[in-house]
Amino acid sequence: MIVLLPPSETKRAGGDGPPLRLDELSSPGLTPLRAELVDELVTLAADPPACRRALGLTAKQDGEIARNAELRAAPTLPAIERYTGVLYDALDFGSLRGASVGRARERLAVGSALFGIVRADDRIPAYRLSASAKLPGRRGLSTHWRPVLEPVLEKLATEQLVVDLRSGAYASLGRIPEAVRVQVLAEHADGRRTVVSHFNKAHKGRLARALVESRAEPKDCGAVAAIARRAGMRVESDGNELTVVVPA
């Protein structure tokens, strides 16, 4: 099983690893586009106004531009330690113990607008590039990623079950029709259900943790639902759709 996480805009600073080596990342078929995008971000960082426009930043976020300028030389961290925020707080990788740590390293991957997909132990620097960014001279990033990323994801999905926790923008970079897709709905007292926006990340983080803590190797959506229920989550499954139901 692969649990495919969304990235986060926030990244942990610094690192204790050597500078970025694209040739050492998993999925080497993605290296050419990764290299193009890294070079473009480094070049773009030399023009802060253009960089702000392309990446949707304000002047108060110029520290993000400085990070991009140093992409080739900055220290690295394993991807699972680089990303921060609500989902990663709920996953709480650092508190895992025993065999769960190994399963997390094997099962967790992250979708990325810069790297396409990285596995938990892939060492990456801090960077800023969202799926909605508009780099000069390029159409939307999905136009460039889909032809190279979708074959990689399709191969993953033929080898093992993929549980796709990415948001819509990141899912559009590389679609996986066979994956288990997850939504989070809030149930109101009158029975109405509405989509959970911000806090859906926390519930997806809880689900990801349950999936790496379990020794089971689920083969379908129903088996994923069973793991979630054992972890105390209320879920419903229908085909490849898993719905996490939470109180409004």
Side-chain angles (χ1 to χ4, degrees):
M1 172 177 56
I2 295 295
V3 182
L4 185 51
L5 307 174
S8 59
E9 295 291 358
T10 55
K11 318 282 191 306
R12 186 167 286 109
D16 57 6
L20 178 65
R21 289 289 304 272
L22 291 174
D23 58 341
E24 293 182 357
L25 297 182
S26 58
S27 303
L30 305 180
T31 300
L33 183 51
R34 288 165 169 166
E36 287 180 22
L37 293 174
V38 167
D39 287 344
E40 288 181 30
L41 287 182
V42 171
T43 300
L44 186 59
D47 184 348
C51 195
R52 292 184 202 117
R53 288 193 298 271
L55 303 184
L57 302 175
T58 68
K60 293 182 179 180
Q61 295 173 294
D62 279 358
E64 301 286 349
I65 299 176
R67 283 182 169 183
N68 283 357
E70 297 297 321
L71 275 172
R72 291 283 186 184
T76 56
L77 281 173
I80 196 57
E81 298 176 28
R82 176 64 71 191
Y83 297 99
T84 61
V86 175
L87 185 149
Y88 292 88
D89 287 345
L91 169 62
D92 197 8
F93 172 79
S95 71
L96 293 172
R97 295 292 180 266
S100 295
V101 177
R103 284 192 294 269
R105 295 186 186 283
E106 292 174 1
R107 294 178 175 179
L108 295 178
V110 184
S112 166
L114 180 56
F115 300 112
I117 182 174
V118 287
R119 301 301 289 264
D121 281 338
D122 281 337
R123 287 189 166 271
I124 58 173
Y127 67 92
R128 183 61 176 251
L129 182 67
S130 69
S132 60
K134 303 293 184 183
L135 296 181
R138 284 192 183 271
R139 297 170 64 188
L141 288 173
S142 62
T143 302
H144 302 281
W145 271 120
R146 279 182 185 173
V148 294
L149 181 57
E150 287 188 348
V152 171
L153 297 176
E154 181 180 355
K155 185 173 186 296
L156 275 180
T158 60
E159 294 171 344
Q160 53 201 309
L161 183 70
V162 176
V163 180
D164 192 353
L165 302 183
R166 296 174 299 167
S167 61
Y170 285 94
S172 72
L173 299 181
R175 298 159 295 187
I176 320 172
E178 307 88 346
V180 173
R181 297 175 294 277
V182 178
Q183 65 174 339
V184 182
L185 297 180
E187 187 170 78
H188 298 258
D190 61 4
R192 288 182 305 110
R193 290 181 175 181
T194 55
V195 174
V196 175
S197 53
H198 178 69
F199 287 105
N200 87 89
K201 297 177 182 179
H203 298 295
K204 287 181 176 179
R206 287 180 58 212
L207 176 60
R209 185 179 178 96
L211 293 176
V212 299
E213 287 187 316
S214 173
R215 294 190 296 271
E217 285 288 351
K219 302 301 183 185
D220 56 29
C221 186
V224 173
I227 292 172
R229 291 187 186 108
R230 288 197 293 271
M233 302 181 73
R234 181 185 172 193
V235 298
E236 299 170 357
S237 62
D238 181 11
N240 280 355
E241 297 282 349
L242 183 74
T243 301
V244 178
V245 183
V246 299

